Amino acid sequence: MTGTGTATVGADSFFPLLRLQTTSHIPKLGFLKLNRSLISLRSLQIKASDSSNQMRLNVARDLTLSNSNGNGNATGSGTTNLKHLSTIGNSTNIQWHSCSVQKDDRHRLLHQKGCVIWITGLSGSGKSTIACALSRILHQRGKLTYVLDGDNIRHGLNKDLGFKAQDRAENIRRIGEVAKLFADAGVICIASLISPYRRDRDACRSMLPNGDFIEVFMDVPLHVCEARDPKGLYKLARAGKIKGFTGIDDPYETPIHSEIVLKHGEPCASPVEMAEKIVVYLENKGYLDA
């Protein structure tokens, strides 16, 4: 530091990796006149400290939740922990762990509410087309979506399952559980699959809070779907080369209380226009705002 003129002052004590310059003359007594930059810097430091304290509070809350769940025990005794363990299906000695970041926090972050849009109907009814059209519309509006397509899921997660009744039930159950996780994360999940059995669809509905499962029925007659036959599967089923094909030798149980029905033959029934009907429903129910 010199007696007069411009001096460079180390600001490490105020904020890391910053250096400030003062343009005031520095008296020989060594007193330094602080300018506004330094005062603002101090304010930033205080704000950063407040943010850090808030983060510590959140971490402390998580630790408290962990202890209340039985994952931590200050006394070293496991007796209390055992009271919180559960058995779900074939899984024993498990425990649900809560976190301070909740579903509502994720909704506010994304400016939307998570839900499951379950599009069901015969093969060739247009489920995947509507799902992708809906995803595109919502994406353009800045909303986060993910499509769970029945065939796509069978390429990976459900590749071990066939098309017998029990395998179909397990296929739907797994997709329902994945869709539930997406919705809990705040994502608008669009599940597109035949899901022919009413009990399986209802089981998926029961996984979610009331209103968060939105069933969309593609009401397209069998003869229309068979005429389309985009994959050639109806032809194979009629020839007996595919067994247990929905609509031919395996039943499709029509939904009774679908939130939305997209009926074939209605005016203005292009895929985009059908998808827009779902968007309107989401708007009216508040899923596109949070």
Side-chain angles (χ1 to χ4, degrees), residues 247-266:
I248 303 302
D249 56 354
D250 201 68
Y252 176 82
E253 298 174 357
T254 302
I256 299 175
H257 301 296
S258 292
E259 282 73 14
I260 301 172
V261 177
L262 300 178
K263 192 174 183 64
H264 171 74
E266 290 183 343

Side-chain angles (χ1 to χ4, degrees), residues 32-227:
L32 180 63
K33 182 180 181 181
L34 299 179
N35 61 15
R36 292 185 178 179
S37 299
L38 197 53
I39 295 171
S40 298
L41 183 59
R42 182 58 179 168
S43 298
L44 285 174
Q45 187 185 38
I46 293 171
K47 290 180 181 178
S49 177
D50 291 343
S51 177
S52 178
N53 288 337
Q54 183 60 49
M55 184 168 64
R56 291 191 189 99
L57 287 173
N58 288 339
V59 171
R61 181 184 172 191
D62 284 341
L63 289 174
T64 301
L65 287 170
S66 177
N67 287 331
S68 67
N69 288 334
N71 289 338
N73 193 324
T75 64
S77 171
T79 304
T80 303
N81 293 355
L82 292 175
K83 295 179 181 179
H84 297 282
L85 297 180
S86 304
T87 297
I88 307 295
N90 293 327
S91 296
T92 59
N93 300 323
I94 59 174
Q95 184 178 70
W96 187 267
H97 184 86
S98 298
C99 179
S100 61
V101 179
Q102 296 293 315
K103 185 176 182 179
D104 288 344
D105 299 314
R106 295 185 284 272
H107 287 175
R108 284 190 292 270
L109 179 68
L110 295 171
H111 303 292
Q112 65 183 53
K113 294 179 182 178
C115 64
V116 174
I117 301 168
W118 193 277
I119 305 178
T120 176
L122 292 169
S123 177
S125 61
K127 300 180 301 298
S128 297
T129 302
I130 298 299
C132 291
L134 175 60
S135 182
R136 171 54 59 184
I137 292 171
L138 293 175
H139 178 79
Q140 290 173 341
R141 294 181 56 165
K143 302 304 176 183
L144 184 60
T145 68
Y146 195 84
V147 176
L148 296 176
D149 183 85
D151 278 7
N152 292 357
I153 299 298
R154 284 183 177 272
H155 277 75
L157 177 64
N158 291 348
K159 65 182 180 181
D160 59 320
L161 301 175
F163 289 90
K164 294 180 180 179
Q166 60 270 29
D167 281 0
R168 286 191 163 192
E170 176 61 13
N171 177 60
I172 300 305
R173 188 195 70 81
R174 291 183 192 179
I175 295 176
E177 290 286 359
V178 172
K180 179 181 73 172
L181 294 177
F182 272 110
D184 187 63
V187 177
I188 297 173
C189 181
I190 307 167
S192 167
L193 55 164
I194 295 173
S195 45
Y197 308 134
R198 195 175 297 123
R199 66 178 181 275
D200 296 334
R201 298 192 299 267
D202 290 344
C204 291
R205 181 187 292 273
S206 68
M207 295 178 187
L208 287 100
N210 187 39
D212 287 357
F213 184 94
I214 303 162
E215 188 175 66
V216 179
F217 173 41
M218 299 298 297
D219 188 4
V220 183
L222 174 62
H223 72 273
V224 174
C225 295
E226 191 167 357

Side-chain angles (χ1 to χ4, degrees), residues 217-248:
F217 173 41
M218 299 298 297
D219 188 4
V220 183
L222 174 62
H223 72 273
V224 174
C225 295
E226 191 167 357
R228 294 174 178 174
D229 203 9
K231 303 173 187 176
L233 298 179
Y234 282 102
K235 184 178 181 179
L236 293 174
R238 291 294 188 188
K241 296 181 179 180
I242 297 179
K243 301 296 183 182
F245 191 77
T246 302
I248 303 302

